[in-house]
Amino acid sequence: MHTVVLTKGVPDFREGQVSFDENGHLERGKTPTVMNPNDKFALEAALQTRVRHGGNVSLMSMGPPGYKEVLQEGMETVYADDLYLVSDREMAAADTWATAITLSAAIENMDEMPDIVFAGFKTADGETGHTGPQANWCLDMPLVTHVISLDIDEEERTLRAKRLVEGDIEEIETVEVSLPAFVVTDPEFVPSYRTAGERLTLKDLRAETQARAPDYEDYLTVWDHADINVDPDYIGLDGSPTIVSSVDPIPKAPAEREATMVDPSDTEGMTEVLEAMQSAVGGDATAAEGD
Amino acid sequence: MSEYEHYEAIVVGTGPGGAAAAATFANYGIETLVLERGVEGGSKNVSGGLIYAEESAPYTIDDLFPGFREEASERPITDYQIHNIAGDKVESYDLTKLHEHDTEWSDSVLRRKMDSWLEDRVHERARETGGGLLTGVHVNGLLREEGKIIGVTTDELDPITADVIVAADGVNSELARDAGLMDWDEPEEWFQGVKAVVDMPADVIAERFDIDEDEGVAHLFSGDLFQGVRGGGFLYTNRETLSLGTVFHLDSIVAEQAEPHELLDAMLTHPLLGQWLGDDYTELEYSAKLVPDSKKVALREPHFGRLLVVGDAAGQMQAQGPIIKGMNHAVTAGALAAEAYAEAKARSEPEKAGSHYAKKLRTEGVMQKLRPRGYEMMRGITEGETVSGVVDSVLKSSVGRFGIRAMSGQLERLYNTPSLTSMIPDTQTPYVTLPTVIGEELGTPVTGTSSVTPPSLEERIGDLTYDTDIGKPHIKLLDNSYEASGAAVSACPVSAVGFGGGCYREEVVRTNGSEERVVSLDTQPCVECGTCAVVADTDWEHPRGNKGVEFKWG
């Protein structure tokens, strides 16, 4: 089974990593770039396929040269046999449509067409969820989104997936498609290894990918637009129909309202807190004391 | 008929017993799957901290795992002392001769480091056979077909079958219990140990214990410092830490309603230990475990069908007075179990592996060490209430005291006699009365003082690492009446009377004008020692793989 996983580098939005200026604008220079967290579920799904059916997993991204470290992160923390970075000045400032065209052209440029292409459910910075399905519009394979678990029948060349209907955790349906197929994993995706044999293979593969990761550039292929044979007019800024008219700052979250800090050893302060809590629930602080 | 996944051998647990079994299977080229419930080897394991290689043993850990002493253990123990304590008076004897009897070497160990080292080697060797080692898999029972054991069931994987199963799943072995080989009913059959690992730089250890880099010290403590509870304490030097602990007969803890952590603290704060612990006491980890008393529970036939039981799971823990040996016997038993299967299979009678293993335990002398004939013969006399009462009274009387003084020159030699230690009865006399009288009559007052303030139980629990299986408690209280389960409130090493943060708490319920004392349980701070499985009415199993407490030192 040959699988390709699409990923993107995004700002690390975790607390302590991300940096905003006083206007609430993201400071890209001060914020590290990491693999889009949702894409790890896609890579986990590819790894599960690799464990159960063999083959190889290619991890692919379109972006600036620095994204090769994002690919390394995927190789180290989950799994990859080889890495593809599609990178070119002509591709800069692409919207989801131009990105989808570029990625699908890169996939078609591979020596062997994949049996499954995996993508994560939307990126942490763009939040559109367009790129995967649009890339598949070009590739023209059956598309299954919001996948939470999957099984493959190699002989029948079919993929059976459980997916959340409308992304709702309460409603799950099972769908079956023929291969090759395009799968978008949901953040609820959980890989399943129910036999010792699978877990032993998983352990081997995890050890192998971690051993590869420091020398990830030996496994990296970098392609520009000429390598994948696309017209510069259809990619990057020139190929992007999206127009961003303006950006509105996100209002402060209500959790950031004013807070008073009280040291637990401060008896007077704590009494005030208790009284405030009592009055909030409609009780009487002095009556409670005697209980 | 069945479509189960199959391995020729399954080993449950990757402590020394499981590791020895797996390595031996691998030596015979037998496809072996090893299942460990912890996140890593040793993360569920605690031991006092000395491993022996006996001259008389057919297998030792460094035979099976070359490089063990250099890479996995702490220090060779070169000096062995016992201290008889009465108040602040102490009479110390050098037990190095007893310690060296039948000993090729003995090292202090910390189980997380030791067992995780073993885990890597076991996986590598088992992988070559087509099997391997998996962590985070909790084997919860035996798989049977038409009443016969054919494999194991787990919380994480589909059932797996095997031609032979080695249960090395520790003192609370769910497999030995499932097979009907062990019950967890009698406190008399168990010891409970609690332990503190204490931070101490190597140069400070060298100075305070007056030892070189390749030397180590073991100190044992007995006498009147433990509120009359039968047992004693130990201190072992590691490379950059100390292992300090106390081990008591569980029935005695229950009878005295003693709080195990307080007994440990009584030792830690005794002035005798001031010279070693100094004024910079830093505790890294508090832990506890049950210890089987091999004299009473070592299984004579530790097998049932395809299941062979080794180590603590089979009660193979020798604790006779100052002789405390468990891991070495687990190693021997594990290797013998695998060897027995390989030989039985070669003779085309694999079904006889179990009885062949039991025979090897006898012919290789293991069973005699675990269940010494001397103890069996003397037990009826020395453990009778009349005799032990008389012995105790005489010892405490002027006649006994005179005798102790008269024998002062020979006592150290008697303590060093292996055949005598194997006969030590489980009574007040050897653990409390004799050492106290020796301390009183012959001891000299300790000059130093202790400035150790041990952490509270709350702090100790707070410092442990847990991955709580929320909503799935692994212990269920079947009878919450104080009569049935109240003993756990004090006997549980992470609970205490009046302490609200432990596993077991005492509550008073008022209904219709009457009051009832009941026990409540919260398994969050559980250290999985199994005490409450014995002293309370519970349904006790281990947490799922990777869940529960994770010991960093062990």
Side-chain angles (χ1 to χ4, degrees):
Chain A
M1 252 332 113
H2 175 213
T3 62
V4 174
V5 179
L6 302 178
T7 188
K8 187 189 179 195
V10 296
D12 188 347
F13 284 108
R14 287 173 306 168
E15 207 174 324
Q17 300 291 322
V18 70
S19 178
F20 295 102
D21 68 14
E22 62 226 23
N23 300 320
H25 292 145
L26 179 73
E27 296 184 292
R28 268 242 125 115
K30 290 185 185 171
T31 304
T33 298
V34 294
M35 182 175 175
N36 178 41
N38 278 345
D39 298 345
K40 293 215 171 158
F41 300 101
L43 198 47
E44 288 281 1
L47 173 55
Q48 179 188 290
T49 309
R50 173 77 170 81
V51 166
R52 292 188 186 172
H53 307 284
N56 79 308
V57 176
S58 304
L59 181 60
M60 178 183 282
S61 190
M62 186 201 90
Y67 273 27
K68 63 187 180 181
E69 282 164 27
V70 171
L71 296 174
Q72 182 195 21
E73 182 190 339
M75 180 179 257
E76 185 172 351
T77 60
V78 186
Y79 185 82
D81 289 285
D82 42 39
L83 309 172
Y84 290 84
L85 179 63
V86 194
S87 186
D88 191 328
R89 282 186 184 281
E90 300 283 356
M91 297 169 190
D95 67 1
T96 59
W97 178 249
T99 306
I101 296 224
T102 310
L103 288 172
S104 59
I107 290 167
E108 283 174 336
N109 192 50
M110 297 180 93
D111 290 340
E112 182 197 358
M113 271 303 279
D115 298 294
I116 309 170
V117 179
F118 288 102
F121 170 59
K122 72 188 184 183
T123 54
D125 54 355
E127 288 272 341
T128 67
H130 294 170
T131 309
Q134 284 175 343
N136 188 55
W137 187 83
C138 305
L139 295 167
D140 200 21
M141 301 192 287
L143 171 70
V144 195
T145 57
H146 286 295
V147 168
I148 57 166
S149 74
L150 67 106
D151 284 298
I152 291 158
D153 188 328
E154 267 184 287
E155 269 176 35
E156 297 290 322
R157 297 272 305 157
T158 54
L159 179 151
R160 183 185 286 251
K162 280 192 180 150
R163 64 180 298 273
L164 304 180
V165 179
E166 302 285 316
D168 181 358
I169 190 72
E170 299 296 322
E171 206 175 328
I172 296 170
E173 66 178 4
T174 303
V175 295
E176 191 174 285
V177 296
S178 60
L179 296 178
F182 198 106
V183 170
V184 179
T185 51
D186 191 89
E188 296 291 328
F189 178 86
V190 182
S192 166
Y193 301 104
R194 292 290 305 177
T195 70
E198 284 175 1
R199 291 212 182 188
L200 289 167
T201 304
L202 173 68
K203 193 168 165 174
D204 286 347
L205 293 177
R206 288 281 304 128
E208 284 170 24
T209 199
Q210 279 169 3
R212 268 198 296 272
D215 304 316
Y216 72 100
E217 287 186 275
D218 296 349
Y219 305 88
L220 175 70
T221 303
V222 182
W223 284 335
D224 61 17
H225 77 274
D227 292 325
I228 58 172
N229 208 13
V230 289
D231 185 333
D233 288 347
Y234 292 91
I235 59 171
L237 187 60
D238 294 345
S240 297
T242 309
I243 296 163
V244 179
S245 61
S246 72
V247 176
D248 294 329
I250 300 167
K252 261 194 180 181
E256 287 179 39
R257 62 197 158 195
E258 239 176 87
T260 312
M261 303 294 284
V262 177
D263 185 335
S265 61
D266 169 11
T267 318
E268 211 171 291
M270 287 306 283
T271 309
E272 278 172 32
V273 173
L274 282 173
E275 280 167 1
M277 288 166 72
Q278 287 285 354
S279 66
V281 296
D284 181 348
T286 48
E289 230 165 89
D291 250 12
Chain B
M1 175 183 116
S2 56
E3 288 282 316
Y4 295 120
E5 191 181 11
H6 181 85
Y7 290 84
E8 185 170 2
I10 290 176
V11 176
V12 183
T14 184
T24 309
F25 278 132
N27 289 346
Y28 282 98
I30 291 166
E31 182 197 44
T32 306
L33 175 67
V34 185
L35 300 173
E36 160 64 41
R37 68 188 178 93
V39 290
E40 188 183 55
S43 62
K44 293 289 185 184
N45 304 56
V46 176
S47 67
L50 296 192
I51 186 166
Y52 286 82
E54 288 187 326
E55 284 162 2
S56 61
Y59 288 98
T60 61
I61 190 95
D62 58 330
D63 288 344
L64 293 166
F65 296 95
F68 175 85
R69 298 191 69 195
E70 294 75 21
E71 293 167 37
S73 78
E74 292 287 313
R75 282 175 190 266
I77 295 301
T78 48
D79 186 15
Y80 202 73
Q81 305 270 336
I82 191 164
H83 306 280
N84 299 282
I85 298 174
D88 67 342
K89 287 171 84 178
V90 179
E91 171 73 353
S92 304
Y93 294 137
D94 186 342
L95 292 189
T96 309
K97 201 169 145 236
L98 176 72
H99 169 73
E100 287 176 351
H101 171 74
D102 193 23
T103 300
E104 195 185 314
W105 55 264
S106 166
D107 288 354
S108 56
V109 292
L110 290 165
R111 294 296 295 277
R112 181 69 183 260
K113 175 177 156 189
M114 169 180 142
D115 294 28
S116 61
W117 184 89
L118 289 172
E119 177 205 319
D120 290 346
R121 274 132 201 94
V122 166
H123 175 64
E124 205 171 285
R125 285 158 78 170
R127 198 81 191 101
E128 286 166 14
T129 68
L133 181 148
L134 294 173
T135 56
V137 177
H138 170 223
V139 175
N140 58 19
L142 295 161
L143 179 69
R144 291 178 174 85
E145 201 170 70
E146 290 165 14
K148 288 206 166 72
I149 295 167
I150 58 162
V152 297
T153 57
T154 75
D155 287 341
E156 289 77 18
L157 304 175
D158 296 332
I160 310 167
T161 58
D163 298 330
V164 60
I165 301 147
V166 173
D169 50 344
V171 65
N172 307 316
S173 171
E174 285 165 276
L175 297 189
R177 190 180 45 157
D178 191 341
L181 295 170
M182 280 278 188
D183 61 36
W184 300 340
D185 290 337
E186 305 298 329
E188 293 78 11
E189 296 173 344
W190 310 90
F191 300 93
Q192 183 206 66
V194 297
K195 180 181 173 185
V197 177
V198 174
D199 191 30
M200 195 171 284
D203 57 319
V204 178
I205 292 177
E207 189 197 316
R208 290 191 190 158
F209 292 89
D210 190 24
I211 50 175
D212 290 337
E213 211 177 294
D214 53 354
E215 291 176 323
V217 188
H219 291 284
L220 302 182
F221 308 94
S222 61
D224 70 355
L225 71 169
F226 299 122
Q227 305 165 17
V229 185
R230 297 199 318 278
F234 61 84
L235 181 164
Y236 305 139
T237 53
N238 302 316
R239 199 136 289 286
E240 293 181 319
T241 54
L242 304 180
S243 292
L244 290 126
T246 43
V247 182
F248 299 98
H249 284 272
L250 187 54
D251 59 317
S252 187
I253 291 177
V254 171
E256 307 293 336
Q257 293 185 322
E259 300 283 0
H261 68 286
E262 287 177 6
L263 298 177
L264 174 68
D265 291 348
M267 181 185 82
L268 293 173
T269 56
H270 192 277
L272 175 63
L273 280 86
Q275 57 184 311
W276 300 309
L277 298 182
D279 56 6
D280 47 1
Y281 182 85
T282 311
E283 198 170 292
L284 298 171
E285 184 171 86
Y286 173 76
S287 58
K289 96 180 278 286
L290 278 193
V291 180
D293 187 348
S294 72
K295 300 188 294 293
K296 295 166 183 164
V297 295
L299 299 172
R300 293 175 205 277
E301 296 290 335
H303 58 93
F304 194 91
R306 294 181 193 182
L307 179 74
L308 279 59
V309 190
V310 308
D312 269 7
Q316 295 164 343
M317 166 73 211
Q318 179 190 3
Q320 286 143 14
I323 297 182
I324 307 159
K325 292 178 177 176
M327 291 179 272
N328 61 314
H329 296 315
V331 168
T332 303
L336 290 177
E339 183 187 277
Y341 169 77
E343 289 173 2
K345 179 190 163 199
R347 290 198 303 265
S348 304
E349 42 185 29
E351 70 283 358
K352 292 196 175 160
S355 54
H356 194 39
Y357 158 57
K359 193 178 161 197
K360 279 177 182 285
L361 288 176
R362 292 191 295 273
T363 56
E364 296 288 355
V366 180
M367 203 43 80
Q368 164 60 16
K369 292 169 190 164
L370 297 171
R371 283 180 171 273
R373 216 162 284 127
Y375 171 79
E376 300 279 333
M377 280 160 55
M378 298 299 288
R379 182 182 182 185
I381 307 166
T382 52
E383 288 183 17
E385 268 183 37
T386 331
V387 172
S388 69
V390 168
V391 172
D392 253 29
S393 314
V394 170
L395 261 178
K396 286 185 211 160
S397 72
S398 56
V399 177
R401 288 170 189 279
F402 174 79
I404 291 293
R405 285 197 298 276
M407 284 173 72
S408 66
Q410 297 154 53
L411 279 170
E412 183 162 306
R413 191 175 59 78
L414 289 176
Y415 261 88
N416 273 297
T417 309
S419 55
L420 280 181
T421 53
S422 73
M423 285 191 276
I424 290 174
D426 278 350
T427 61
Q428 198 83 359
T429 314
Y431 289 105
V432 183
T433 318
L434 179 62
T436 305
V437 173
I438 291 175
E440 281 169 357
E441 296 303 318
L442 307 172
T444 42
V446 182
T447 49
T449 55
S450 170
S451 53
V452 172
T453 312
S456 67
L457 195 50
E458 190 176 9
E459 289 167 323
R460 283 169 164 159
I461 293 168
D463 286 341
L464 287 169
T465 304
Y466 294 97
D467 182 355
T468 307
D469 203 353
I470 296 157
K472 285 195 178 162
H474 64 283
I475 309 170
K476 289 186 189 80
L477 200 51
L478 297 178
D479 184 342
N480 75 341
S481 71
Y482 200 83
E483 292 67 38
S485 302
V489 179
S490 51
C492 165
V494 291
S495 303
V497 173
F499 173 51
C503 279
Y504 284 89
R505 297 140 199 216
E506 183 190 335
E507 284 173 6
V508 176
V509 178
R510 296 186 187 91
T511 35
N512 299 347
S514 66
E515 282 190 0
E516 199 192 347
R517 276 168 101 194
V518 296
V519 176
S520 69
L521 167 65
D522 170 10
T523 58
Q524 197 280 323
C526 176
V527 290
E528 296 162 34
C529 68
T531 297
C532 62
V534 181
V535 307
D537 191 359
T538 63
D539 185 3
W540 202 104
E541 40 189 53
H542 287 118
R544 292 192 298 163
N546 294 337
K547 296 291 181 183
V549 71
E550 178 193 337
F551 293 119
K552 306 281 186 188
W553 299 87

